[in-house]
Amino acid sequence: MAKASTELGELNAADRDAFVGALGGVFENAPWVAERAWSGRPFATVGDLHHALMAALKGASEAEQMVFIRGHPELGSNMARSGAMTQASRQEQGSLGLDRLSEAEFQRFERLNGDYRERFGMPFIICVGRHTRPSILSEFARRIANGRAAERAAALEEVGHITRLRLNEIVAGPGKPPTDGRLSTHVLDLVSGRPATGVLVVLKELGLGSEGVLKEAVTNADGRTDAPLLAGRALRIGGYEIAFHVGAYFAQRGVATSRPPFLDVVPIRFAIDEPEAHYHVPLLASPWAYSTYRGS
Amino acid sequence: MAKASTELGELNAADRDAFVGALGGVFENAPWVAERAWSGRPFATVGDLHHALMAALKGASEAEQMVFIRGHPELGSNMARSGAMTQASRQEQGSLGLDRLSEAEFQRFERLNGDYRERFGMPFIICVGRHTRPSILSEFARRIANGRAAERAAALEEVGHITRLRLNEIVAGPGKPPTDGRLSTHVLDLVSGRPATGVLVVLKELGLGSEGVLKEAVTNADGRTDAPLLAGRALRIGGYEIAFHVGAYFAQRGVATSRPPFLDVVPIRFAIDEPEAHYHVPLLASPWAYSTYRGS
Amino acid sequence: MAKASTELGELNAADRDAFVGALGGVFENAPWVAERAWSGRPFATVGDLHHALMAALKGASEAEQMVFIRGHPELGSNMARSGAMTQASRQEQGSLGLDRLSEAEFQRFERLNGDYRERFGMPFIICVGRHTRPSILSEFARRIANGRAAERAAALEEVGHITRLRLNEIVAGPGKPPTDGRLSTHVLDLVSGRPATGVLVVLKELGLGSEGVLKEAVTNADGRTDAPLLAGRALRIGGYEIAFHVGAYFAQRGVATSRPPFLDVVPIRFAIDEPEAHYHVPLLASPWAYSTYRGS
Amino acid sequence: MAKASTELGELNAADRDAFVGALGGVFENAPWVAERAWSGRPFATVGDLHHALMAALKGASEAEQMVFIRGHPELGSNMARSGAMTQASRQEQGSLGLDRLSEAEFQRFERLNGDYRERFGMPFIICVGRHTRPSILSEFARRIANGRAAERAAALEEVGHITRLRLNEIVAGPGKPPTDGRLSTHVLDLVSGRPATGVLVVLKELGLGSEGVLKEAVTNADGRTDAPLLAGRALRIGGYEIAFHVGAYFAQRGVATSRPPFLDVVPIRFAIDEPEAHYHVPLLASPWAYSTYRGS
């Protein structure tokens, strides 16, 4: 895959070979997808280009699609560990730690991969950049119950997510399809009616123990963290916890409470299922009560 | 200590020997406390009787008080494990698992006991029935910084808690001093405006891992648990979590949400510091928001 | 209608004349309803008796039902003002002030009565004890759009409500059908984590201006009013407001806020549509935030 | 007062006459204030200029200050109605309707003005642009209880508010002192977990009946109003109500509720006391529950 960025304008002006040369790696081992989309130039936006590429894929014969799908590596497989996959796939799977699975996890993925391959005759495709490990496992469980046609469609939908990310990385231009999500928070002090400043906020991915801490931050004068808790990429579907250290906050301000304080570290647990959305998860708290909600 | 219950009326009518025979064990190895309180008969309530006993103790000389205090066993000590304590003390310490400490915990208690004894020349007295293990450790840390007079007063205050419990067990009559607390909950469904029925609720003591589960219950037609989550004894000072399984509840009712649900198991963490109080910790929830508060 | 209460047991043992003598007035000018129900004795509960009476009415011919329905007075009509209605009807309509309508209101009811009678050939029947004036007007508007059969059924349903109330008043015995609702409140202070004591609470029926004040009360040590805001009868379907004077409460406790206070008199407006239900409408408040919900 | 805007740079470069010519009208009939501040040039910001002008005023003798204060018109006085005041004062008092008082209101202001003048020997000065009529009356009541020195200081503080507004209007440049506040809202649908779109929101000033409606707006796709409810000027200290028409919103979306809906028009009443602050007053609502808070 080209690392350097290509301008959409150049692609619109390119001949077929140059076009395929620039985009051929976006669809795993399948330059023919770019070849067929070439005739649709010019594309007004990067999103239109992606749409045209996906249309070429979806318009291909079932046999072609199966060959394409079968060209993908299995998740967390020996192939992943031994290196026989494209650089793009390697990088995506590595971001989730699928190249560093424990032996037990590795066995589990192997078994699921095997079951899935036996049932559908293809590898399990999923856009790992939009998932946590637990959500990949639950998608495995859910999709393995699909019929063959529904599952082929599900695989192509994931290819859409994967290639949208890849395309955005290598093509510059207007109308990039959205691939980033955002998680933000806010703490309001119900006693003073003001933003709560100086509250320690710890974001964790659930199910990973102490390894799961993704970010620690302290609220600023506006009761927010200086930067979003998560941003700049797709959010991973999965379970999260934000722990708000309100006990220390109220103690420091001298607000009367009990000893130990009725509320100390308040955990808010929630799931993310829209990787490209904005999740706002605020806390409104007194020493004795709190509320939260999904805002946006 | 007498196991059978004695009527307050009998005690009011008793001669000194019978009175001391009935109550002598309430104050650890110190029948003289009951002896001195005897002259104050008759007592209108069990609370008045307890007050008179405590007044006799607090009115004693510092030397007498120190002898009395030194007659108490150390927490989680060899004595506790080998049996050289009164049956009442054994039962109280056993309720917290202080007779089944791990080697590491045992070492920690031994070290604290040693430090404390060295500083104050007496064993650390605390009403274990009103505490969790973490709160005993934090009380150790707090009280070891006291001056000698303040700490002797603190020890007598704990004796007051201990003997109030013991007295209530063996004396029947009006005006028993309060020794029981209560923890209750309630779940309200903000979508239907009705009590949430069939919500799994799991109460844990914090800091104990899976061992810490104290109660599991399912909410009834009134959104409450059939019995309080905790009742019938003093609440233990410490940290708790109630986990409300609202994700399963809304799924079963077919209320639309995301997949996975934004809210699944909602943990509410709080501390109890008033063992004889009523804590009501409700949850008001939709699939996207919730609030809680200390009610009563 | 008999004012003195009759035992259900006596009715079960009564001959037809005595039975009709006791119950004949329950169904407006229609002793035949009681006559037909008589043969169903004995009735285990007062509710069963009411059910049997209603079954006799619903089992009657359409012509008989129409005669029965036409025997009812019109709401707020000249008849009401001049006295040609049964004492029970007079009392029910009087409770809502329908015998003291202003000229404009009287004209409005007359017009609605006229339109309704023209359309259905019968007076508009509604259980006034379960309604406010605005809800009667909105029921007029809703029901006038019904078909004839649906509207006759609607009228008989109202007769069921009316006679259930009347029967409960004159028959003593087990299993009385529920006719009472209840409205209660509770104020929680989010700053102290305690019930808010001494908060003035004013309940109004909406749409009536200063005339609409139904109750003023002050919260007690438990944050509740000593008596329910409404109880002892059916709640009237309609709009209500509870005004909570939290500004004065927090000022008296010396809790810091702005001047004038951000929150002073907090109005909670809600509708009641289940006259026999329990409505609990609490307020959780700090000087800067509050929440409310329909509890039960 | 100059209507055309003057650059701060020009003022810094101006000779005394030009300086006073530009700013002399800012302080009511007191060009000497500008004269004395002139020597402090250059001023880095408009705020610094205002600070220097106020310092000149506060540094003047008590006699000079009294002459200055006595040069102000009385609120809502005959003078206001007959025209003997500066154009700036006329415009400010007109914004509140003080030139269109009813006879009763006029009498009330006359009486307060008389009492105040008798007590302090000067007219009551208040920055009307930061007040509602009720808050002016309550300030009258509060300040009339002041001692003479405290009240002279209070009057000068108001002059500071008045002249800050005037200065900002006529001087262009960096560092203008803040004179604008903002009121915004947001509606969150607790059933869908999304911003509530299409909710009618009506802002009223309290105490004015139907005349008091300041703004009607409908929430957009983000659950906000396209423009803030109030902005572009100081907020007036006083009581407000935002009425949220959530009943119609949920009905339109087909969300189940009662008939009439438990919640229909939700009124949130609150006071503003910081004219230059941002007030955010959101509503989080299901058909059965809601909460609000002062956000920012």
Side-chain angles (χ1 to χ4, degrees):
Chain A
M1 186 168 68
K3 285 176 175 173
S5 162
T6 308
E7 284 292 328
L8 180 61
E10 288 174 49
L11 291 172
N12 280 331
D15 62 19
R16 183 180 295 231
D17 283 357
F19 189 85
V20 172
L23 301 180
V26 170
F27 284 70
E28 199 97 357
N29 302 318
W32 58 265
V33 175
E35 268 171 41
R36 292 182 195 180
W38 175 78
S39 59
R41 293 161 313 132
F43 305 105
T45 65
V46 181
D48 287 353
L49 168 58
H50 184 250
H51 191 75
L53 290 162
M54 285 302 296
L57 178 60
K58 288 179 180 169
S61 70
E62 181 182 332
E64 286 174 311
Q65 290 177 349
M66 288 303 291
V67 168
F68 167 72
I69 290 172
R70 288 186 184 124
H72 285 70
E74 281 178 351
L75 273 180
S77 67
N78 276 325
M79 205 160 89
R81 303 219 279 196
S82 65
M85 61 165 90
T86 65
Q87 188 186 347
S89 279
R90 169 182 302 281
Q91 192 175 325
E92 285 154 15
Q93 298 203 3
S95 70
L96 197 60
L98 291 179
D99 56 344
R100 287 168 284 116
L101 295 176
S102 71
E103 193 56 33
E105 290 172 315
F106 178 72
Q107 298 296 343
R108 184 158 182 200
F109 272 106
E110 284 288 273
R111 198 167 51 249
L112 285 163
N113 277 327
D115 292 352
Y116 184 93
R117 175 173 289 279
E118 186 173 340
R119 176 158 166 74
F120 294 113
M122 62 188 196
F124 179 71
I125 298 184
I126 192 163
C127 179
V128 295
R130 301 172 82 248
H131 285 273
T132 56
R133 277 192 265 181
S135 74
I136 287 179
L137 292 174
S138 92
E139 281 294 281
F140 247 130
R142 184 180 69 83
R143 285 170 51 186
I144 215 163
N146 273 345
R148 297 180 71 85
E151 182 53 22
R152 204 169 63 247
L156 294 185
E157 196 183 333
E158 291 297 320
V159 167
H161 294 311
I162 293 168
T163 55
R164 198 172 57 224
L165 285 164
R166 291 181 182 174
L167 201 67
N168 267 6
E169 266 180 42
I170 62 166
V171 179
K176 288 200 168 199
T179 55
D180 290 358
R182 189 155 51 101
L183 172 64
S184 60
T185 190
H186 181 236
V187 188
L188 188 84
D189 175 342
L190 295 176
V191 175
S192 71
R194 301 282 167 187
T197 303
V199 179
L200 175 62
V201 166
V202 181
L203 173 68
K204 286 199 303 188
E205 185 188 322
L206 290 180
L208 299 184
S210 58
E211 273 184 68
V213 173
L214 301 178
K215 181 138 182 176
E216 292 193 12
V218 171
T219 55
N220 59 25
D222 198 31
R224 303 177 194 278
T225 55
D226 287 338
L229 293 176
L230 295 174
R233 65 179 313 291
L235 304 178
R236 294 184 185 282
I237 294 169
Y240 296 85
E241 176 187 290
I242 308 180
F244 297 87
H245 291 238
V246 299
Y249 165 80
F250 283 117
Q252 197 188 6
R253 289 178 56 93
V255 176
T257 179
S258 57
R259 188 189 65 200
F262 182 67
L263 298 178
D264 187 4
V265 178
V266 168
I268 304 293
R269 294 190 175 172
F270 59 95
I272 284 176
D273 82 320
E274 297 181 85
E276 292 82 24
H278 176 202
Y279 284 76
H280 183 63
V281 181
L283 185 77
L284 288 63
S286 88
W288 307 97
Y290 63 91
S291 60
T292 190
Y293 55 90
R294 182 189 166 174
S296 60
Chain B
M1 185 169 68
K3 282 177 177 170
S5 163
T6 310
E7 285 291 327
L8 180 61
E10 290 174 47
L11 291 172
N12 279 331
D15 63 19
R16 182 180 294 231
D17 282 356
F19 189 83
V20 172
L23 301 180
V26 170
F27 284 69
E28 200 95 358
N29 302 320
W32 57 266
V33 175
E35 268 170 42
R36 293 183 194 178
W38 174 77
S39 59
R41 289 162 315 130
F43 305 106
T45 65
V46 180
D48 287 353
L49 168 58
H50 183 249
H51 191 75
L53 290 163
M54 284 303 296
L57 177 60
K58 287 178 179 169
S61 69
E62 181 183 332
E64 285 173 313
Q65 289 177 350
M66 287 304 289
V67 168
F68 167 70
I69 291 173
R70 289 187 183 122
H72 284 70
E74 280 178 352
L75 274 180
S77 67
N78 276 326
M79 204 160 91
R81 303 219 280 196
S82 65
M85 61 165 91
T86 63
Q87 189 186 347
S89 279
R90 169 183 300 283
Q91 192 175 325
E92 285 155 15
Q93 299 203 4
S95 71
L96 197 61
L98 291 179
D99 56 345
R100 286 168 284 114
L101 295 176
S102 72
E103 193 56 33
E105 290 172 316
F106 179 72
Q107 298 296 342
R108 184 159 183 198
F109 271 106
E110 284 287 272
R111 198 167 51 249
L112 285 163
N113 277 329
D115 292 351
Y116 184 93
R117 175 173 289 279
E118 186 173 339
R119 176 158 166 75
F120 295 112
M122 61 189 196
F124 179 71
I125 298 185
I126 193 164
C127 179
V128 295
R130 301 172 84 247
H131 285 274
T132 57
R133 277 191 264 180
S135 73
I136 286 179
L137 292 173
S138 91
E139 281 294 281
F140 248 131
R142 185 179 70 82
R143 284 171 51 186
I144 214 164
N146 273 344
R148 297 180 71 84
E151 182 53 24
R152 203 169 64 245
L156 294 186
E157 196 183 333
E158 290 298 320
V159 167
H161 294 311
I162 293 168
T163 54
R164 197 172 59 223
L165 285 164
R166 291 181 183 175
L167 200 68
N168 267 6
E169 264 179 45
I170 61 168
V171 179
K176 288 200 167 198
T179 55
D180 290 358
R182 189 155 51 102
L183 171 65
S184 60
T185 190
H186 181 236
V187 188
L188 188 85
D189 175 343
L190 295 176
V191 175
S192 71
R194 301 282 168 186
T197 303
V199 179
L200 175 61
V201 167
V202 180
L203 173 69
K204 286 201 301 189
E205 184 187 323
L206 289 180
L208 299 185
S210 59
E211 273 185 67
V213 173
L214 301 178
K215 179 138 183 177
E216 292 194 12
V218 171
T219 55
N220 58 25
D222 198 31
R224 304 177 193 277
T225 54
D226 287 339
L229 293 176
L230 294 174
R233 63 179 313 292
L235 304 178
R236 294 185 186 281
I237 294 169
Y240 296 85
E241 176 187 290
I242 308 180
F244 297 87
H245 292 238
V246 299
Y249 165 80
F250 284 117
Q252 197 187 4
R253 288 177 57 93
V255 176
T257 179
S258 57
R259 186 192 64 200
F262 182 68
L263 298 178
D264 187 6
V265 178
V266 168
I268 304 293
R269 293 189 176 173
F270 59 95
I272 284 177
D273 82 319
E274 296 181 84
E276 292 82 23
H278 177 202
Y279 283 77
H280 183 62
V281 181
L283 186 77
L284 288 64
S286 89
W288 306 98
Y290 62 90
S291 60
T292 189
Y293 55 90
R294 184 191 164 172
S296 57
Chain C
M1 184 169 68
K3 281 180 176 169
S5 164
T6 310
E7 284 292 328
L8 179 61
E10 291 175 46
L11 290 172
N12 280 331
D15 63 18
R16 184 180 294 230
D17 283 356
F19 189 85
V20 172
L23 301 181
V26 170
F27 284 70
E28 200 95 357
N29 301 320
W32 57 266
V33 175
E35 266 169 43
R36 293 183 195 178
W38 174 77
S39 60
R41 291 162 312 129
F43 305 106
T45 65
V46 180
D48 287 352
L49 167 59
H50 183 249
H51 191 77
L53 291 161
M54 284 303 296
L57 177 62
K58 288 178 180 171
S61 71
E62 183 182 329
E64 287 173 313
Q65 290 177 350
M66 288 304 291
V67 169
F68 167 72
I69 290 172
R70 289 187 183 120
H72 285 71
E74 281 179 351
L75 274 181
S77 67
N78 276 326
M79 204 160 90
R81 303 218 280 197
S82 64
M85 62 165 92
T86 64
Q87 185 185 350
S89 278
R90 167 181 301 284
Q91 190 174 326
E92 285 154 16
Q93 298 203 6
S95 70
L96 197 60
L98 291 179
D99 56 345
R100 286 166 285 115
L101 294 176
S102 71
E103 193 57 31
E105 290 172 317
F106 178 71
Q107 297 297 342
R108 184 159 183 198
F109 272 105
E110 284 287 273
R111 197 167 51 249
L112 285 163
N113 278 327
D115 291 351
Y116 183 93
R117 175 173 289 280
E118 185 173 339
R119 177 158 166 75
F120 295 113
M122 61 189 197
F124 179 71
I125 298 184
I126 192 164
C127 178
V128 295
R130 300 172 83 246
H131 285 274
T132 56
R133 276 191 264 182
S135 73
I136 286 179
L137 292 174
S138 91
E139 282 294 282
F140 247 130
R142 184 180 71 81
R143 285 171 50 186
I144 215 164
N146 273 343
R148 297 179 70 86
E151 182 52 23
R152 204 169 64 248
L156 295 186
E157 197 183 333
E158 291 297 321
V159 167
H161 294 311
I162 294 167
T163 54
R164 198 172 57 223
L165 284 164
R166 292 181 182 174
L167 199 67
N168 267 5
E169 265 181 42
I170 61 167
V171 179
K176 288 200 167 198
T179 55
D180 290 359
R182 188 154 53 99
L183 172 65
S184 60
T185 190
H186 181 236
V187 188
L188 188 84
D189 174 343
L190 294 177
V191 175
S192 70
R194 301 282 167 187
T197 303
V199 179
L200 174 62
V201 166
V202 180
L203 173 70
K204 287 201 301 190
E205 185 187 323
L206 289 179
L208 298 185
S210 59
E211 273 186 66
V213 173
L214 301 177
K215 178 136 183 176
E216 292 193 12
V218 172
T219 55
N220 58 24
D222 198 30
R224 303 176 193 278
T225 55
D226 286 340
L229 293 176
L230 295 174
R233 64 179 313 290
L235 304 178
R236 294 185 186 280
I237 294 169
Y240 296 85
E241 176 187 289
I242 308 179
F244 297 87
H245 292 238
V246 299
Y249 165 80
F250 283 118
Q252 197 188 5
R253 288 178 57 93
V255 176
T257 180
S258 57
R259 187 191 66 200
F262 182 69
L263 299 178
D264 187 5
V265 178
V266 168
I268 303 293
R269 294 189 175 174
F270 59 94
I272 284 176
D273 82 321
E274 297 180 83
E276 292 83 22
H278 176 202
Y279 284 75
H280 183 63
V281 181
L283 185 77
L284 288 62
S286 89
W288 306 98
Y290 62 90
S291 60
T292 189
Y293 54 90
R294 184 191 165 173
S296 60
Chain D
M1 185 169 66
K3 281 177 175 168
S5 162
T6 310
E7 284 291 328
L8 179 60
E10 290 175 47
L11 291 172
N12 279 331
D15 62 18
R16 183 179 294 230
D17 283 357
F19 189 85
V20 171
L23 301 180
V26 170
F27 284 71
E28 199 96 359
N29 302 320
W32 57 266
V33 175
E35 267 170 41
R36 294 183 195 178
W38 174 77
S39 59
R41 287 164 316 132
F43 305 106
T45 65
V46 181
D48 287 353
L49 168 58
H50 184 249
H51 191 76
L53 291 163
M54 285 302 297
L57 177 61
K58 288 179 179 168
S61 69
E62 181 181 333
E64 286 173 313
Q65 290 177 350
M66 288 304 290
V67 168
F68 167 72
I69 290 172
R70 289 186 183 120
H72 285 71
E74 279 178 354
L75 274 181
S77 67
N78 276 326
M79 203 160 89
R81 303 218 280 196
S82 64
M85 62 165 89
T86 63
Q87 187 185 348
S89 278
R90 168 182 300 284
Q91 193 174 324
E92 285 155 15
Q93 298 202 6
S95 70
L96 196 61
L98 291 179
D99 56 345
R100 287 167 284 117
L101 295 176
S102 71
E103 193 57 33
E105 290 172 316
F106 178 72
Q107 298 296 343
R108 183 157 183 201
F109 271 105
E110 283 287 273
R111 198 166 51 249
L112 285 163
N113 277 327
D115 292 351
Y116 183 93
R117 175 173 289 280
E118 186 173 340
R119 175 158 167 74
F120 295 112
M122 61 188 195
F124 179 71
I125 298 184
I126 192 164
C127 178
V128 295
R130 301 172 82 247
H131 285 274
T132 56
R133 276 191 266 182
S135 73
I136 286 179
L137 293 173
S138 91
E139 281 295 281
F140 248 131
R142 184 180 70 81
R143 285 172 49 186
I144 216 163
N146 273 344
R148 297 180 71 84
E151 182 52 22
R152 204 170 64 247
L156 294 186
E157 196 182 335
E158 291 297 320
V159 166
H161 294 312
I162 293 168
T163 55
R164 197 171 59 222
L165 285 164
R166 292 182 182 174
L167 199 68
N168 266 5
E169 264 180 45
I170 62 166
V171 179
K176 288 198 167 198
T179 54
D180 290 359
R182 188 155 53 100
L183 172 65
S184 60
T185 190
H186 181 237
V187 188
L188 187 84
D189 174 342
L190 294 177
V191 175
S192 71
R194 301 281 167 188
T197 303
V199 178
L200 175 62
V201 166
V202 180
L203 173 70
K204 286 200 302 189
E205 185 188 322
L206 290 180
L208 299 184
S210 58
E211 272 185 69
V213 173
L214 301 178
K215 180 137 183 176
E216 292 193 11
V218 171
T219 56
N220 58 25
D222 199 31
R224 304 176 192 277
T225 55
D226 287 340
L229 293 176
L230 294 174
R233 65 179 313 288
L235 304 178
R236 294 184 186 281
I237 294 169
Y240 296 85
E241 176 186 288
I242 307 179
F244 297 87
H245 292 238
V246 299
Y249 165 80
F250 283 117
Q252 197 187 5
R253 289 178 56 94
V255 176
T257 179
S258 57
R259 187 189 66 200
F262 181 68
L263 298 178
D264 188 4
V265 178
V266 168
I268 304 293
R269 295 189 175 173
F270 59 95
I272 284 177
D273 81 321
E274 297 181 84
E276 293 82 23
H278 176 204
Y279 284 75
H280 183 62
V281 181
L283 185 76
L284 287 62
S286 89
W288 307 98
Y290 63 90
S291 60
T292 189
Y293 55 90
R294 182 188 166 176
S296 59

